[in-house]
Amino acid sequence: MAYTTINKPSEHFNTKLYTGNGGTNALTGVGFEPSLTWIKCRDDTHNPNWFDAVRGVTKRISSHSNAAESTVANSLTSFNSDGFTLGASGGENSNSNTYASWNWKANGAGSANTDGSINSTVSANTTNGFSIVKYTGTASNATVGHGLGAVPKMIIVKNLISSGGSAEHWYVYHASLGNNKDLLLNLTNDASNTVTTWNNTTPTSSVFSIGSGDGVNKSSEANIAYCFAEKTGYSKFGSYTGNGNADGTFVYTGFKPAFVIVKCFSTSADWQLADNKRTTSGNNVIDKEVRPNLSNAETGGTDGRYIDFISNGFKLRQGFGNWNASGETYIYMAFAEAPLVGTNGVTAKAR
């Protein structure tokens, strides 16, 4: 079994918690300069806002909504070597509110990529398997370069313009669903069959395919794509079937997770997000959740545990439909707190 050379996952993905101050807020402790920062207020109703280095600072999109990108001057104002700086915008930095930020390392503002039939701007980190891709749609079947040098297992695409009175959803490709289905990050829908989203074509190590659908390829409109390739010992993208009880399904990832997103694809359900920083019971027992498709505050704490993060995967601890309904099927994405360690205590290396 080959392992990634990432010995410290927190240098590539990290959750940063903070309290807003209502003014300039220079936050450190992320561990790297993020290229994607996703921010959610924990204790109040605020939008889940996404910022990335390819689109540029102050430009945000919200995963609970199909709205176009907006520019908010006092939102996220810079990406820094160990974190990011915020202005006074309430969505990211309301005084005394508590927030979570989830941060990924790509490669800054990106560079030109001509691998696909549509040229793109790509910020790629081939070590951790994450890239940010900006491209302009043509309304014709096309390919888009992603820069990873590995096949993406999950791709999230958002149209940034949403012109002509037709706002576009967040479209999600997941390898467990195949190339003829999609999910919508901003909605609860189950997986739907489609030809016009991914053109019934599986991504390759250099490009992903898009059909003529407006959500991913509206003519002359800009889109952003977040692409994730699997790196053994650091990230995992797969599926499981729920069993409907507190002795829930165990999902093997090959590492102790720091972050997991789950979505039921066999029936309608909210998206669920859990991480190892927002817990009142220690970082093995996860008792708080955020729903990426909602602006609601986080829930949990008094509701008991949702999920356990253990050394080689995660185990569901509720029979709730959003996590673990009996016989329902789910996709997940997971990132590591710690990679697998050999019997001599040394982290396994790539062969």
Side-chain angles (χ1 to χ4, degrees):
M1 187 177 184
Y3 290 85
T4 177
T5 56
I6 298 174
N7 295 324
K8 192 172 182 182
S10 61
E11 293 179 347
H12 294 266
F13 166 81
N14 207 358
T15 301
K16 168 69 179 177
L17 306 181
Y18 65 92
T19 300
N21 65 10
T24 301
N25 199 353
L27 294 159
T28 59
V30 171
F32 53 86
E33 181 173 335
S35 299
L36 169 63
T37 295
W38 172 7
I39 295 172
K40 180 68 187 77
C41 184
R42 301 175 60 195
D43 57 357
D44 203 351
T45 300
H46 284 291
N47 298 345
N49 293 326
W50 299 48
F51 301 86
D52 67 69
V54 174
R55 291 182 296 119
V57 297
T58 75
K59 297 182 184 301
R60 72 185 184 192
I61 47 179
S62 302
S63 58
H64 78 303
S65 169
N66 61 357
E69 174 187 81
S70 61
T71 300
V72 181
N74 61 350
S75 58
L76 188 148
T77 59
S78 67
F79 291 107
N80 309 322
S81 61
D82 188 32
F84 51 90
T85 299
L86 302 171
S89 169
E92 299 80 33
N93 191 31
S94 182
N95 189 40
S96 299
N97 280 138
T98 57
Y99 293 83
S101 70
W102 302 283
N103 302 274
W104 286 264
K105 182 179 181 180
N107 192 23
S111 58
N113 182 295
T114 58
D115 290 341
S117 61
I118 294 176
N119 292 339
S120 54
T121 299
V122 176
S123 173
N125 186 331
T126 57
T127 300
N128 67 20
F130 173 58
S131 70
I132 305 169
V133 180
K134 189 175 182 181
Y135 66 94
T136 299
T138 64
S140 298
N141 295 343
T143 57
V144 182
H146 56 66
L148 290 176
V151 177
K153 292 297 186 73
M154 187 167 178
I155 302 171
I156 302 170
V157 176
K158 179 68 179 79
N159 174 287
L160 301 177
I161 308 298
S162 298
S163 66
S166 176
E168 302 301 337
H169 299 298
W170 292 64
Y171 284 81
V172 179
Y173 166 86
H174 196 286
S176 296
L177 301 179
N179 59 33
N180 63 347
K181 293 182 186 244
D182 59 37
L183 287 166
L184 303 175
L185 182 59
N186 58 302
L187 296 178
T188 62
N189 299 34
D190 57 354
S192 60
N193 291 313
T194 177
V195 175
T196 60
T197 306
W198 314 119
N199 197 26
N200 285 9
T201 305
T202 301
T204 72
S205 60
S206 59
V207 300
F208 64 91
S209 294
I210 51 176
S212 58
D214 283 351
V216 296
N217 196 15
K218 186 180 286 187
S219 180
S220 302
E221 295 196 357
N223 302 269
I224 199 76
Y226 304 108
C227 303
F228 302 89
E230 192 170 279
K231 296 294 181 178
T232 306
Y234 167 74
S235 61
K236 185 73 173 176
F237 306 86
S239 63
Y240 66 89
T241 301
N243 68 8
N245 63 65
D247 185 16
T249 299
F250 167 72
V251 180
Y252 177 83
T253 61
F255 51 78
K256 183 179 182 181
F259 172 97
V260 171
I261 288 180
V262 164
K263 175 66 174 76
C264 183
F265 65 86
S266 54
T267 191
S268 177
D270 288 315
W271 292 77
Q272 303 291 329
L273 185 159
D275 63 64
N276 62 347
K277 301 290 180 68
R278 297 175 303 110
T279 172
T280 58
S281 305
N283 71 355
N284 292 332
V285 178
I286 309 305
D287 59 0
K288 294 182 182 294
E289 64 178 4
V290 163
R291 299 181 181 184
N293 58 297
L294 298 175
S295 60
N296 301 24
E298 74 179 10
T299 58
T302 60
D303 296 337
R305 67 215 290 190
Y306 294 107
I307 181 175
D308 289 353
F309 289 171
I310 54 182
S311 63
N312 60 351
F314 60 91
K315 185 173 178 63
L316 285 307
R317 289 299 189 183
Q318 293 278 8
F320 296 161
N322 290 333
W323 288 101
N324 186 37
S326 180
E328 302 293 354
T329 47
Y330 299 77
I331 55 101
Y332 69 88
M333 66 186 301
F335 293 90
E337 174 186 327
L340 283 174
V341 176
T343 55
N344 61 356
V346 177
T347 304
K349 301 284 189 175
R351 293 198 294 267

